[in-house]
């Protein structure tokens, strides 16, 4: 999954974390203050080519060049232009899109203050001034559209390159993999799903992390406008503390509720594979895929799906209740301040939007949990698939006994991580053992 696309994956990802930490430390300690730190803030697309913004772009490029050069020297890899430079470009594009959201959030303040002034007639507002603010938003939105379209185009190619790398790796080892149950599905389907899902989750995680880094300082600044919070009264940095506590509590609770889902989803794929294989064998062999065998296999499928539905039931109850409450949580926090009239309409909208950005970042696990469950099940299947190449032996799944009439049928799902020929008993259809205990 990784060795086909990244050079020496374990060492590579450790170096990514360490290099990123070092680069961020240098940036926030002194590098950020070298150029444009004292320039006044701007609203609109001009913020993307201020001295500070251009200096960050150059700093990022220098860090990528140094990191890439080091790995080209240490461990050359045929997919390095995509795995390192391509990943860095996706990282930068994600950062840029977060900055677009920051620019839009900065625009919200003066625009809604203008709307409030016009409605309350506190000062004269011209139509040209109003449309001028809208044109500023349109220019930022245009940048967002162009950046989003180009990013998705590049990401699509990036995903297919990763799938190609995995496909080439598995095909090169096909003589050793072909006897494993479901080998064709692993190579054809799971490589595509793994690269797509992994990229999606990784980009969302990076986006959530960068959004936190960008909007938590905004919340710190806007907290000065909030006089007190319900129940607790006045505390320092009220918006930041409330956001962190609320979302950590919600994420931890829902992660605990859904902790069984990855294992159930993984086993669900295995019972489906056993059923599918028996049907495929029955296409060429009339002695296979007889109704009793298929019924027994389908009972396993039904039982596992019903268990999955039950677990998703109470997970969705907690998730939906939390998300619906979360939709008004920022207004609950701002209640005393709004009633006291201590903030303007523009500031309130900035707070609500910044809170929403932080909320979406903290809700990464909540909104992505179903995808994460699917990702873990795909990873387990491919990991078991690759265990054959490493000579590993993975633990066998617990068989499920199914009783039907006067026959006792034991269904054992094949372990794709073991080197067995198709003649191995675990790859044969479920054995129908004559009943010796039933009084038939």
């Amino acid at each position: 999954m990784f060795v086909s696309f990244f050079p020496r994956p374990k060492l590579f990802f450790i170096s990514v974390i360490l290099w990123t930490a070092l680069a961020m430390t240098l940036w926030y300690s002194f590098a950020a203050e070298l150029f444009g730190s004292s320039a006044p803030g701007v609203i609109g697309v001009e913020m993307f080519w201020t001295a500070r913004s251009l200096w960050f772009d150059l700093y990022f490029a220098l860090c990528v060049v140094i990191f890439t050069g080091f790995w080209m020297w240490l461990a050359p890899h045929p997919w390095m232009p995509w795995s390192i430079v391509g990943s860095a470009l996706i990282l930068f594009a994600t950062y840029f899109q977060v900055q677009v959201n920051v620019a839009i959030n900065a625009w919200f303040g003066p625009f809604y203050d203008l709307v409030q002034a016009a409605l309350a007639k506190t000062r004269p507002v011209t139509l040209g001034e109003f449309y001028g603010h809208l044109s500023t938003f349109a220019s930022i939105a245009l940048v967002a559209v162009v950046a989003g379209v180009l990013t998705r185009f590049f990401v699509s190619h990036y995903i297919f390159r990763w799938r190609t790398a995995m496909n080439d790796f598995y095909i090169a080892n096909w003589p050793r993999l072909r006897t494993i149950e479901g080998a064709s599905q692993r190579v054809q389907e799971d490589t595509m799903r793994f690269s797509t899902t992994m990229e999606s989750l990784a980009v969302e995680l990076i986006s959530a992390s960068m959004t936190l880094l960008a909007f938590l300082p905004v919340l710190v600044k806007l907290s000065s406008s909030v006089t007190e919070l319900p129940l607790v009264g006045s505390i320092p940095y009220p918006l930041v503390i409330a956001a962190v506590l609320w979302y950590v509590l919600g994420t931890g609770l829902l992660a605990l509720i859904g902790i069984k889902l990855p294992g159930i989803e993984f086993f669900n794929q295995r019972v489906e594979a056993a059923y599918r294989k028996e049907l495929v064998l029955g296409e060429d062999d009339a002695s296979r895929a007889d109704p009793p065998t298929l019924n027994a296999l389908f009972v396993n499928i039904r039982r596992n799906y019903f268990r999955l539905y039950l677990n998703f039931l109470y997970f969705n109850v907690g998730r939906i209740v939390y998300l619906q409450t979360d939709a008004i949580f920022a207004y609950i926090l701002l209640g005393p301040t709004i009633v006291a009239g201590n903030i303007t309409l523009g500031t309130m909208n900035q707070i609500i939007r910044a809170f929403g950005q932080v909320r979406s970042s903290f809700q990464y696990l909540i909104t992505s949990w179903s995808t994460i469950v699917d990702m873990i099940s795909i990873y387990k299947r491919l990991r078991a698939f690759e265990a054959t190449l490493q000579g590993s032996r993975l633990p066998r799944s617990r068989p499920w006994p199914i009783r039907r009439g006067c026959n006792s049928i034991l269904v054992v799902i094949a372990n794709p991580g073991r080197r067995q020929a198709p003649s191995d008993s675990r790859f044969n259809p479920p054995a129908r053992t004559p009943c010796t205990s039933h009084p038939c």
Side-chain angles (χ1 to χ4, degrees):
M1 289 173 284
F2 295 100
V3 74
S4 62
F5 196 59
F6 297 94
R8 301 173 64 178
K10 290 184 179 180
L11 181 60
F12 174 78
F13 287 113
I14 292 175
S15 69
V16 168
I17 296 173
L18 295 178
W19 183 246
T20 302
L22 176 61
M24 291 179 63
T25 301
L26 294 177
W27 174 259
Y28 285 107
S29 59
F30 73 92
E33 305 300 323
L34 295 179
F35 299 99
S37 59
S38 59
V42 296
I43 297 177
V45 293
E46 293 81 3
M47 70 168 292
F48 299 126
W49 51 74
T50 61
R52 181 183 177 90
S53 297
L54 294 177
W55 164 229
F56 176 84
D57 298 344
L58 178 60
Y59 179 82
F60 184 91
L62 289 174
C63 291
V64 172
V65 169
I66 294 172
F67 184 79
T68 305
F70 169 77
W71 274 101
M72 289 180 67
W73 167 79
L74 179 66
H77 193 282
W79 288 100
M80 190 172 289
W82 284 94
S83 61
I84 298 182
V85 181
S87 299
L89 184 57
I90 293 175
L91 180 64
F92 179 80
T94 304
Y95 157 80
F96 186 80
Q97 289 174 318
V98 170
Q99 292 305 305
V100 170
N101 282 330
V102 172
I104 292 176
N105 195 78
W107 172 85
F108 265 66
F111 175 73
Y112 280 101
D113 284 344
L114 179 73
V115 172
Q116 185 179 29
L119 295 178
K121 300 185 184 302
T122 55
R123 71 174 182 86
V125 176
T126 65
L127 192 60
E129 188 179 5
F130 179 79
Y131 283 126
H133 279 275
L134 292 182
S135 65
T136 300
F137 176 82
S139 62
I140 301 174
L142 179 62
V143 172
V145 170
V146 173
V149 170
L150 293 179
T151 300
R152 291 316 305 169
F153 177 79
F154 179 80
V155 166
S156 299
H157 280 272
Y158 177 90
I159 292 172
F160 195 84
R161 263 49 173 210
W162 193 351
R163 178 188 177 184
T164 302
M166 285 191 290
N167 180 79
D168 293 346
F169 179 79
Y170 291 143
I171 294 303
N173 293 277
W174 183 249
R176 300 171 61 188
L177 298 171
R178 59 184 298 273
T179 59
I180 298 175
E181 192 277 331
S184 58
Q185 184 188 10
R186 301 292 85 82
V187 175
Q188 185 272 324
E189 179 181 346
D190 282 348
T191 55
M192 179 269 294
R193 295 180 62 194
F194 176 81
S195 56
T196 303
T197 309
M198 175 62 77
E199 181 276 333
S200 174
L201 289 175
V203 169
E204 289 176 6
L205 177 60
I206 294 171
S207 178
S209 302
M210 289 186 172
T211 300
L212 282 179
L213 291 175
F215 278 93
L216 278 179
V218 174
L219 275 185
V220 170
K221 182 178 179 180
L222 293 174
S223 290
S224 60
S225 302
V226 179
T227 54
E228 60 178 316
L229 295 179
L231 300 180
V232 298
S234 179
I235 59 174
Y237 308 114
L239 295 177
V240 177
I241 294 175
V244 171
L245 292 179
W246 171 250
Y247 298 122
V248 168
L249 176 64
T251 301
L253 179 62
L254 291 180
L256 181 63
I257 294 175
I259 196 170
K260 293 182 179 180
L261 291 175
I264 299 174
E265 180 65 28
F266 171 58
F267 197 78
N268 195 56
Q269 296 295 328
R270 299 182 73 175
V271 294
E272 288 278 16
Y275 184 67
R276 178 175 57 251
K277 180 176 182 181
E278 187 65 19
L279 289 172
V280 171
L281 292 175
E283 293 178 354
D284 300 319
D285 188 350
S287 65
R288 307 299 290 265
D290 57 285
T293 301
L294 293 178
N295 287 337
L297 290 170
F298 194 78
V299 165
N300 255 5
I301 293 176
R302 181 177 62 186
R303 179 178 299 177
N304 202 73
Y305 267 108
F306 286 1
R307 185 184 176 200
L308 185 67
Y309 297 156
L310 179 62
N311 278 266
F312 263 113
L313 173 65
Y314 58 76
F315 175 77
N316 284 330
V317 168
R319 185 175 69 91
I320 294 173
V321 169
Y322 175 78
L323 291 177
Q324 291 299 318
T325 305
D326 184 70
I328 60 171
F329 186 68
Y331 291 97
I332 295 175
L333 296 178
L334 292 176
T337 304
I338 293 174
V339 172
N342 292 328
I343 57 175
T344 64
L345 182 63
T347 303
M348 186 195 76
N349 276 280
Q350 281 185 309
I351 292 175
I352 295 298
R353 195 172 189 280
F355 210 90
Q357 293 292 327
V358 174
R359 175 185 65 195
S360 63
S361 300
F362 276 118
Q363 288 176 354
Y364 170 77
L365 286 178
I366 298 173
T367 56
S368 303
W369 189 250
S370 298
T371 307
I372 292 173
V373 169
D374 191 38
M375 179 72 244
I376 293 175
S377 68
I378 297 171
Y379 173 80
K380 285 183 176 182
R381 294 198 302 276
L382 288 176
R383 185 67 188 87
F385 187 55
E386 293 177 355
T388 297
L389 301 177
Q390 303 168 0
S392 304
R393 295 176 64 87
L394 299 180
R396 295 181 63 179
S397 298
R398 177 177 60 86
W400 285 7
I402 304 176
R403 298 189 178 277
R404 176 177 49 79
C406 296
N407 291 328
S408 177
I409 300 176
L410 184 63
V411 178
V412 182
I413 306 302
N415 184 343
R418 309 283 284 269
R419 287 195 210 177
Q420 255 83 21
S423 59
D424 184 86
S425 60
R426 288 174 295 129
F427 291 88
N428 291 332
R432 291 187 291 280
T433 306
C435 178
T436 58
S437 59
H438 193 276
C440 54

